Amino acid sequence: MRIQYKLSITFILLLVFGVTAISSYSIVFIRGYLMSEAELNMEADAAQIRISLENSSPGLHEMLGYIGRETVYNIRIWSRDGMLTETAPGSEYLNETNPNLQPEIAALLAQMASENPSEPVYRRSSDRFFVYYLLNDKPEPAEYSFLEVSRLKSEIYRPVHTIRWIIYSGMFISIAIILFVSFIFSQYLAQPILALTRASMKIADGDTTQIISLNRTDEFGTLAQSINKMAARLQEDNKQLVRSSERQKQFYADISHEIRNPLHTISGTLEILQLDNLSQEKRNKFMKSAHNQVERLNRLFQDLMTLQKSDLDSNFIQPKPFLIGDLADGFIQIYQQMAQSKGLDFQVTGNENILVYADKDRIAQVLDNLVSNAIKYTPEGAVQVSWTTSGQYVEISVSDSGIGIQKEHIPNLFDRFYRTDKARSRDSGGTGLGLAVVKSILDAHQSVIEIDSSPGTGTSIRFTLPAGKGIPQQ
Ligand code: ATP
Ligand code: MG
């Protein structure tokens, strides 16, 4: 059953119950009120009739005739021994035709006459109210009779019928209004719930483009906003998932490509080496080429392992204090030679006794990649490695006067397998993983890397590490 109908039915049942209860209570209350009012009035009127009858100068019979025509009451006079002596004109007693007073009433009246002759006696039959008074209209006080004044209950309750009709018609009109209002109100309540349900179901089915536009400032409005936010968030997460799955696909495609190329070269070279008439000089040349390709593959796997560790291993880096001079010593000679063979000026400047707090081997890997890039991408000119302390940090920079990098490449430079010029980089043995490795190591050190580069002028790459304290460790 739809929530709108459930709400309508609940409202209607509650309100109908309320209206019926109030109406019934009102009718019972009004009946009681009318009855007690009628009794009081009857008592006062009967007392008045009694006085009039006792003091009538034309005589009781005439007076009774006169009162009988004027009053709404039925009046009878009973003799002292319970015989009906007079009935006022217009008085109707459909149910009581017995000319004798019922014995128990007669006894009651006799008791009244002896104990409290001026007080009235009340009686109710199934259809009437009665009031009895002692009537002393005789010259002799002992010769009394009883005045009986009565009225049909149905006459007393007559206004109740009208009131009941007013209440019932009011009740039905109220119910009709309630039906209408509750339908409109339940629609007002149910409409946002339906909109929210529909949207949530669509979102659950994967349609995150759903936007609920509820122009409301109540809790429904807030809920709609939360669902919209949730959908936007899911949409963003989905996009990220798609992006990362695409990146992963690209990553595997790149790996296969990077492995297939050197393997082709090695296999081709091995076939040529099997030729008998190959000169020793050519044989050496091909063997060197195959060796280069094996080294390239080796480097590729080492880089991949570093990246995998940085992704998965929480102990990827183990920082300790070390002297930066110890780090420089390791690679200066290798790269000095490499630079010289290309005719480049290679300089290393900085205080060798500066302490750094980082993972020495990983930072050596960073410098290895940056300096090898600098030499690789500098056809002529100079390559410089320098470091200085600034406060709690040590800033290290690798600069070259090489080919530089165009601005649009800089944001992607640290992506895995990204190369600005694939052909040239591959020719020079690059796989495009060097800077990704650099970034993963510096990220683990919470160090930010900065690049300044302009094509034709050169490149400068800087990063900072925390200054070390205490005794340097190897
Ligand atoms: P790998 O380092 O894996 O052997 P690679 O050097 O091509 O290969 P990265 O070190 O990641 O890969 O560098 C990515 C790209 O950035 C390079 O292909 C090159 O185009 C550009 N690049 C990096 N360093 C420099 C630099 N100093 N001068 C100019 N271009 C650079
Ligand atoms: Mg490189």
Side-chain angles (χ1 to χ4, degrees):
M1 191 192 264
R2 282 175 66 173
I3 190 150
Q4 184 177 351
Y5 300 131
K6 282 187 190 168
L7 283 170
S8 302
I9 290 171
T10 312
F11 281 136
I12 291 162
L13 284 180
L14 281 175
L15 292 169
V16 166
F17 175 75
V19 170
T20 315
I22 291 170
S23 311
S24 312
Y25 176 76
S26 311
I27 289 171
V28 169
F29 178 80
I30 291 166
R31 266 174 78 108
Y33 174 79
L34 286 174
M35 203 181 290
S36 60
E37 269 298 284
E39 274 181 340
L40 279 176
N41 288 341
M42 243 175 90
E43 183 191 334
D45 292 345
Q48 197 61 47
I49 292 167
R50 170 194 172 196
I51 294 167
S52 306
L53 289 175
E54 281 179 349
N55 302 313
S56 92
S57 50
L60 185 128
H61 184 75
E62 285 72 19
M63 192 56 166
L64 196 60
Y66 173 71
I67 295 172
R69 280 187 293 278
E70 294 298 317
T71 186
V72 294
Y73 299 114
N74 298 308
I75 306 167
R76 290 190 295 189
I77 310 284
W78 297 90
S79 72
R80 185 183 167 185
D81 45 8
M83 297 292 286
L84 183 64
T85 55
E86 293 277 355
T87 299
S91 299
E92 286 175 12
Y93 294 94
L94 298 174
N95 297 331
E96 291 187 31
T97 49
N98 189 354
N100 293 321
L101 207 50
Q102 285 166 6
E104 69 274 15
I105 303 168
L108 198 67
L109 296 181
Q111 194 186 356
M112 170 184 95
S114 62
E115 285 174 6
N116 215 344
S118 58
E119 286 301 307
V121 167
Y122 301 99
R123 183 166 77 87
R124 285 183 192 183
S125 73
S126 58
D127 60 342
R128 279 175 185 274
F129 285 150
F130 295 87
V131 178
Y132 294 94
Y133 267 112
L134 201 69
L135 197 60
N136 277 314
D137 63 328
K138 304 287 183 315
E140 187 57 48
E143 288 300 307
Y144 58 84
S145 53
F146 298 110
L147 165 68
E148 179 197 90
V149 176
S150 70
R151 196 171 178 194
L152 281 169
K153 279 182 182 176
S154 56
E155 283 177 24
I156 296 168
Y157 290 147
R158 192 165 295 140
V160 171
H161 294 298
T162 320
I163 292 169
R164 187 180 287 149
W165 271 114
I166 293 171
I167 287 176
Y168 283 159
S169 30
M171 194 173 100
F172 285 115
I173 291 170
S174 317
I175 289 172
I177 293 172
I178 287 164
L179 273 173
F180 179 71
V181 170
S182 67
F183 183 76
I184 300 289
F185 185 63
S186 60
Q187 207 175 21
Y188 174 77
L189 280 183
Q191 183 237 335
I193 297 177
L194 286 175
L196 290 168
T197 315
R198 254 182 258 126
S200 318
M201 279 166 75
K202 281 194 178 167
I203 292 170
D205 285 343
D207 180 4
T208 50
T209 55
Q210 283 300 308
I211 291 177
I212 314 165
S213 51
L214 280 186
N215 198 13
R216 292 172 70 139
T217 50
D218 54 9
E219 283 79 357
F220 288 121
T222 319
L223 187 60
Q225 276 178 4
S226 315
I227 291 180
N228 284 345
K229 262 193 201 166
M230 191 179 78
R233 180 79 180 267
L234 274 174
Q235 209 173 348
E236 191 46 44
D237 285 355
N238 276 350
K239 276 185 194 159
Q240 247 171 24
L241 269 178
V242 170
R243 276 199 294 268
S244 82
S245 118
E246 272 168 9
R247 268 209 302 270
Q248 206 172 23
K249 268 189 216 155
Q250 186 61 42
F251 184 66
Y252 286 119
D254 286 341
I255 290 181
S256 340
H257 190 78
E258 291 306 326
I259 295 173
R260 213 172 37 232
N261 265 355
L263 281 182
H264 273 159
T265 316
I266 292 168
S267 119
T269 310
L270 287 177
E271 272 176 28
I272 294 170
L273 283 174
Q274 281 171 356
L275 296 174
D276 294 334
N277 55 352
L278 203 65
S279 70
Q280 190 58 38
E281 191 191 348
K282 282 196 172 169
R283 198 171 286 273
N284 288 346
K285 194 179 147 204
F286 281 118
M287 276 177 52
K288 193 167 179 239
S289 155
H291 185 249
N292 281 346
Q293 295 303 328
V294 171
E295 281 206 328
R296 182 176 164 183
L297 277 177
N298 196 19
R299 214 173 43 248
L300 171 74
F301 283 112
Q302 269 174 3
D303 283 348
L304 283 174
M305 263 166 64
T306 308
L307 288 170
Q308 195 209 15
K309 267 195 180 169
S310 83
D311 286 344
L312 303 175
D313 190 354
S314 53
N315 296 321
F316 172 54
I317 59 159
Q318 275 152 1
K320 287 173 192 154
F322 66 88
L323 283 174
I324 200 154
D326 288 349
L327 183 70
D329 279 350
F331 68 88
I332 287 177
Q333 279 177 350
I334 305 166
Y335 287 110
Q336 190 102 50
Q337 241 174 18
M338 211 186 269
Q340 264 171 11
S341 68
K342 266 187 98 175
L344 302 175
D345 181 18
F346 185 73
Q347 292 170 11
V348 179
T349 53
N351 181 349
E352 298 208 338
N353 293 322
I354 290 175
L355 262 182
V356 177
Y357 184 76
D359 185 320
K360 189 175 155 194
D361 294 338
R362 295 287 179 210
I363 296 300
Q365 225 178 323
V366 168
L367 284 174
D368 196 41
N369 271 299
L370 294 181
V371 175
S372 72
N373 276 354
I375 294 174
K376 198 166 18 169
Y377 301 110
T378 306
E380 57 181 341
V383 171
Q384 190 181 36
V385 181
S386 63
W387 58 86
T388 51
T389 45
S390 94
Q392 304 282 306
Y393 293 93
V394 178
E395 189 180 281
I396 302 168
S397 92
V398 178
S399 315
D400 63 65
S401 59
I403 57 170
I405 306 162
Q406 284 185 332
K407 259 201 172 57
E408 68 263 26
H409 292 300
I410 290 180
N412 304 316
L413 225 50
F414 298 100
D415 290 350
R416 296 172 187 188
F417 295 111
Y418 189 84
R419 288 172 292 214
T420 57
D421 182 341
K422 285 191 194 271
R424 180 165 35 185
S425 178
R426 197 174 291 127
D427 287 348
S428 55
T431 57
L433 282 179
L435 288 183
V437 168
V438 166
K439 174 106 167 60
S440 70
I441 293 172
L442 291 179
D443 277 353
H445 284 85
Q446 289 168 350
S447 168
V448 182
I449 188 161
E450 286 174 60
I451 299 189
D452 278 335
S453 185
S454 52
T457 313
T459 305
S460 168
I461 300 186
R462 290 181 305 282
F463 59 94
T464 52
L465 292 171
K469 281 184 194 135
I471 304 158
Q473 294 179 26
Q474 283 301 314

Short mmCIF file of all heavy atoms in Angstrom, two decimals, residues 31-41 124 129:
data_model
loop_
_atom_site.label_atom_id
_atom_site.label_comp_id
_atom_site.label_asym_id
_atom_site.label_seq_id
_atom_site.Cartn_x
_atom_site.Cartn_y
_atom_site.Cartn_z
N ARG A 31 -28.06 15.72 27.36
CA ARG A 31 -29.24 14.97 27.88
C ARG A 31 -29.32 15.10 29.40
O ARG A 31 -30.37 15.42 29.96
CB ARG A 31 -29.11 13.49 27.52
CG ARG A 31 -29.82 13.11 26.24
CD ARG A 31 -29.49 11.68 25.91
NE ARG A 31 -30.30 10.78 26.75
CZ ARG A 31 -31.30 10.05 26.27
NH1 ARG A 31 -31.60 10.12 25.00
NH2 ARG A 31 -31.98 9.25 27.04
N GLY A 32 -28.19 14.87 30.05
CA GLY A 32 -28.15 14.95 31.52
C GLY A 32 -28.51 16.36 31.98
O GLY A 32 -29.30 16.53 32.93
N TYR A 33 -27.96 17.33 31.26
CA TYR A 33 -28.20 18.72 31.64
C TYR A 33 -29.69 19.08 31.50
O TYR A 33 -30.31 19.65 32.39
CB TYR A 33 -27.34 19.63 30.75
CG TYR A 33 -27.61 21.10 30.95
CD1 TYR A 33 -27.07 21.76 32.05
CD2 TYR A 33 -28.42 21.82 30.06
CE1 TYR A 33 -27.33 23.10 32.25
CE2 TYR A 33 -28.67 23.15 30.25
CZ TYR A 33 -28.14 23.80 31.35
OH TYR A 33 -28.39 25.11 31.56
N LEU A 34 -30.26 18.67 30.35
CA LEU A 34 -31.68 18.97 30.10
C LEU A 34 -32.58 18.32 31.15
O LEU A 34 -33.54 18.92 31.65
CB LEU A 34 -32.09 18.47 28.70
CG LEU A 34 -31.57 19.29 27.52
CD1 LEU A 34 -31.92 18.60 26.22
CD2 LEU A 34 -32.18 20.70 27.55
N MET A 35 -32.24 17.08 31.52
CA MET A 35 -33.06 16.36 32.48
C MET A 35 -33.04 17.04 33.84
O MET A 35 -34.09 17.28 34.46
CB MET A 35 -32.55 14.93 32.59
CG MET A 35 -33.61 13.97 33.08
SD MET A 35 -32.95 12.34 33.23
CE MET A 35 -32.71 11.89 31.55
N SER A 36 -31.82 17.42 34.30
CA SER A 36 -31.77 18.03 35.63
C SER A 36 -32.43 19.41 35.60
O SER A 36 -33.10 19.80 36.57
CB SER A 36 -30.34 18.10 36.15
OG SER A 36 -29.58 18.87 35.27
N GLU A 37 -32.27 20.13 34.47
CA GLU A 37 -32.94 21.44 34.33
C GLU A 37 -34.45 21.27 34.39
O GLU A 37 -35.17 22.00 35.09
CB GLU A 37 -32.59 22.07 32.97
CG GLU A 37 -31.37 22.96 32.95
CD GLU A 37 -31.51 24.16 33.85
OE1 GLU A 37 -32.23 25.10 33.49
OE2 GLU A 37 -30.91 24.15 34.95
N ALA A 38 -34.97 20.24 33.65
CA ALA A 38 -36.41 20.00 33.59
C ALA A 38 -36.96 19.66 34.98
O ALA A 38 -38.03 20.11 35.37
CB ALA A 38 -36.69 18.87 32.61
N GLU A 39 -36.18 18.86 35.72
CA GLU A 39 -36.62 18.47 37.07
C GLU A 39 -36.75 19.69 37.96
O GLU A 39 -37.74 19.86 38.69
CB GLU A 39 -35.62 17.47 37.67
CG GLU A 39 -35.96 16.05 37.26
CD GLU A 39 -35.01 15.03 37.85
OE1 GLU A 39 -33.89 15.39 38.26
OE2 GLU A 39 -35.39 13.85 37.89
N LEU A 40 -35.73 20.57 37.89
CA LEU A 40 -35.75 21.78 38.72
C LEU A 40 -36.97 22.65 38.35
O LEU A 40 -37.70 23.14 39.21
CB LEU A 40 -34.47 22.59 38.50
CG LEU A 40 -33.26 22.11 39.29
CD1 LEU A 40 -32.04 22.92 38.92
CD2 LEU A 40 -33.54 22.23 40.79
N ASN A 41 -37.15 22.84 37.02
CA ASN A 41 -38.27 23.67 36.55
C ASN A 41 -39.61 23.08 36.98
O ASN A 41 -40.52 23.80 37.42
CB ASN A 41 -38.25 23.79 35.02
CG ASN A 41 -37.12 24.68 34.56
OD1 ASN A 41 -36.60 25.45 35.37
ND2 ASN A 41 -36.73 24.57 33.30
N ARG A 124 -39.89 8.61 38.68
CA ARG A 124 -39.68 8.51 37.24
C ARG A 124 -40.26 7.21 36.77
O ARG A 124 -39.96 6.17 37.36
CB ARG A 124 -38.17 8.48 36.91
CG ARG A 124 -37.50 9.81 37.03
CD ARG A 124 -36.05 9.70 36.63
NE ARG A 124 -35.34 10.90 37.01
CZ ARG A 124 -34.07 11.12 36.75
NH1 ARG A 124 -33.35 10.19 36.13
NH2 ARG A 124 -33.48 12.24 37.12
N PHE A 129 -41.60 11.98 34.01
CA PHE A 129 -41.14 12.49 35.30
C PHE A 129 -42.37 12.93 36.09
O PHE A 129 -43.26 13.57 35.53
CB PHE A 129 -40.27 13.74 35.13
CG PHE A 129 -38.90 13.43 34.64
CD1 PHE A 129 -38.22 14.34 33.86
CD2 PHE A 129 -38.29 12.24 35.00
CE1 PHE A 129 -36.95 14.06 33.42
CE2 PHE A 129 -37.00 11.96 34.55
CZ PHE A 129 -36.34 12.87 33.75
#
